[in-house]
Amino acid sequence: MGFEIVLNLLWMLVLVIYYQLEAIVKFFIQPSRKDVSGQVVLVTGAGSGIGQRLSVEFAKLGCTIVGWDVSQKNLNETSKVMEEETGKEFYAYTCDLSDREAIYKTAEKVKQDIGRVDILINNAGIVSGKTILKCSDSMMQKTMEVNTMAHFWTLKAFLPEMLERNEGHVVTISSGAGYFGVPGQVDYAASKFGAVGMCEALHQELQHTGKTGVNVTCVCPYYINTGMFEGVKTSFMPILEKDDAVARIIDAILRNQYLLMLPKMLYLFAVMKSLLPTKALLVVGKYTGVNAAMDDFIGRKKVD
Ligand SMILES: NC(=O)c1ccc[n+]([C@@H]2O[C@H](COP(=O)([O-])OP(=O)(O)OC[C@H]3O[C@@H](n4cnc5c(N)ncnc54)[C@H](O)[C@@H]3O)[C@@H](O)[C@H]2O)c1
């Protein structure tokens, strides 16, 4: 091994220790929140659940909110809530995120109507909740299109302008299912693993190319009480409260945190997953009830 390589490895080790210590300090003394007032936030799937709450809460922080959703009815509902809680305008666009051309067209319209987007939140998601052979081909395809592929197209539409300014924020609402595969989520987990992988590679790519002003946040929550996972049973960890989850997501974005797992226990599971043998993990899945959680899944009824 050449002298230069050894020197580089030693320097890398010093930096790894430094950043590990920094992470410990940041755990106790969190970095300050950034000011986002006046910024444009685009939220996909803004018509319901997490997307609706993120829209309203970012509006309260002084942001202009652009909401996309396939359901006009849901968008109307968010407009109503926005008006009641903030008195602010909600710029709503119907867009089917499983349609690449519709995404590009809607993005162009947003650029003409509003201008640049500062914070892009890829939040929209769907779940079939079916075991692999019971899930239709078209449903599996749609899950991949909405939960994963749509992120590519929104990025292609809005990232160039962020790169030009070396400023902006890309947020991926993935899931705990983006780290852990459980029964009844074969297609969903595939799509969410895809979103996590995309987010991780994008983050590395931005750092590698010097675009460190464009922040990336990857959110991986456990079940949240929005109705999306109606019927899910959890004996081990309680289902998260929507408002609490949204407050934590906003906090992570404002502190430019890269990875947010909710609850914190998921970080421990991620470590366990890397260390334990597969058979031990199967036992953990069985005795925590996690593997049976989707057995009585109902989910959302089809949106209008
Ligand atoms: N709820 C949970 O337990 C949970 C847990 C972890 C991660 N997540 C993720 O959080 C995100 C939001 O979930 P939620 O619970 O708020 O769901 P939700 O069902 O309440 O809201 C999703 C919204 O996305 C919209 N949508 C669906 N398909 C669309 C399409 N093709 N084009 C455009 N919009 C579309 C729906 O109309 C709806 O308004 C999803 O990505 C989900 O996978 C949810």
Side-chain angles (χ1 to χ4, degrees):
M1 225 190 293
F3 181 67
E4 204 178 323
I5 297 176
V6 174
L7 216 60
N8 271 340
L9 287 178
L10 281 175
W11 180 232
M12 182 192 79
L13 203 66
V14 169
L15 289 176
V16 166
I17 293 167
Y18 171 81
Y19 286 121
Q20 184 56 57
L21 291 173
E22 185 192 69
I24 294 168
V25 172
K26 276 184 176 173
F27 184 80
F28 295 104
I29 309 162
Q30 293 204 308
S32 54
R33 288 169 156 231
K34 64 183 174 188
D35 178 12
V36 289
S37 59
Q39 296 201 352
V40 175
V41 181
L42 191 155
V43 184
T44 69
S48 168
I50 297 166
Q52 181 178 91
R53 280 322 307 167
L54 282 173
S55 299
V56 174
E57 295 305 325
F58 268 111
K60 287 180 188 169
L61 292 171
C63 300
T64 299
I65 308 299
V66 179
W68 288 13
D69 206 288
V70 72
S71 162
Q72 185 60 52
K73 188 170 157 235
N74 285 1
L75 286 171
N76 292 345
E77 184 57 32
T78 300
S79 292
K80 205 173 124 225
V81 178
M82 185 72 86
E83 174 61 33
E84 280 166 9
E85 288 193 34
T86 71
K88 289 194 161 188
E89 184 142 9
F90 172 59
Y91 297 92
Y93 294 80
T94 45
C95 176
D96 181 352
L97 288 153
S98 65
D99 179 346
R100 179 166 52 102
E101 284 312 316
I103 292 175
Y104 286 148
K105 266 194 204 139
T106 314
E108 276 315 307
K109 207 159 180 329
V110 168
K111 286 177 199 173
Q112 280 165 17
D113 297 349
I114 317 281
R116 75 178 191 215
V117 165
D118 299 292
I119 303 177
L120 168 64
I121 307 183
N122 279 311
N123 160 75
I126 51 172
V127 59
S128 71
K130 292 187 163 49
T131 50
I132 184 161
L133 296 182
K134 287 193 176 145
C135 190
S136 68
D137 295 2
S138 59
M139 184 64 209
M140 289 179 121
Q141 218 154 346
K142 198 150 203 114
T143 300
M144 293 305 294
E145 280 163 0
V146 176
N147 296 4
T148 319
M149 305 297 288
H151 297 211
F152 294 155
W153 319 136
T154 55
L155 275 170
K156 287 209 165 185
F158 296 109
L159 190 62
E161 205 278 328
M162 291 185 192
L163 295 181
E164 224 168 85
R165 289 184 292 133
N166 194 15
E167 213 177 292
H169 204 136
V170 177
V171 181
T172 300
I173 307 294
S174 180
S175 168
Y179 269 82
F180 314 99
V182 298
Q185 294 188 0
V186 171
D187 54 337
Y188 185 71
S191 71
K192 292 298 186 178
F193 266 68
V196 169
M198 181 228 55
C199 200
E200 191 171 305
L202 174 71
H203 184 227
Q204 293 280 352
E205 199 168 289
L206 291 170
Q207 296 292 315
H208 181 63
T209 51
K211 299 296 180 185
T212 51
V214 181
N215 295 291
V216 178
T217 295
C218 182
V219 182
C220 296
Y222 184 62
Y223 301 113
I224 305 168
N225 68 346
T226 63
M228 184 183 188
F229 281 90
E230 196 60 49
V232 154
K233 278 201 205 76
T234 61
S235 49
F236 181 62
M237 286 195 294
I239 290 178
L240 302 169
E241 288 296 322
K242 180 174 63 180
D243 288 354
D244 187 41
V246 167
R248 306 274 292 278
I249 293 169
I250 291 179
D251 192 64
I253 296 169
L254 297 184
R255 296 184 200 278
N256 291 332
Q257 182 178 331
Y258 169 68
L259 178 65
L260 173 69
M261 287 185 144
L262 288 175
K264 281 203 169 82
M265 180 82 91
L266 294 195
Y267 291 105
L268 183 66
F269 284 166
V271 175
M272 275 170 67
K273 189 183 156 173
S274 316
L275 298 177
L276 291 180
T278 309
K279 281 184 180 170
L281 289 172
L282 287 171
V283 169
V284 172
K286 183 175 175 183
Y287 289 98
T288 54
V290 169
N291 281 355
M294 294 287 286
D295 286 359
D296 297 318
F297 172 85
I298 300 163
R300 259 197 204 298
K301 290 196 185 81
K302 205 179 168 306
V303 288
D304 305 327

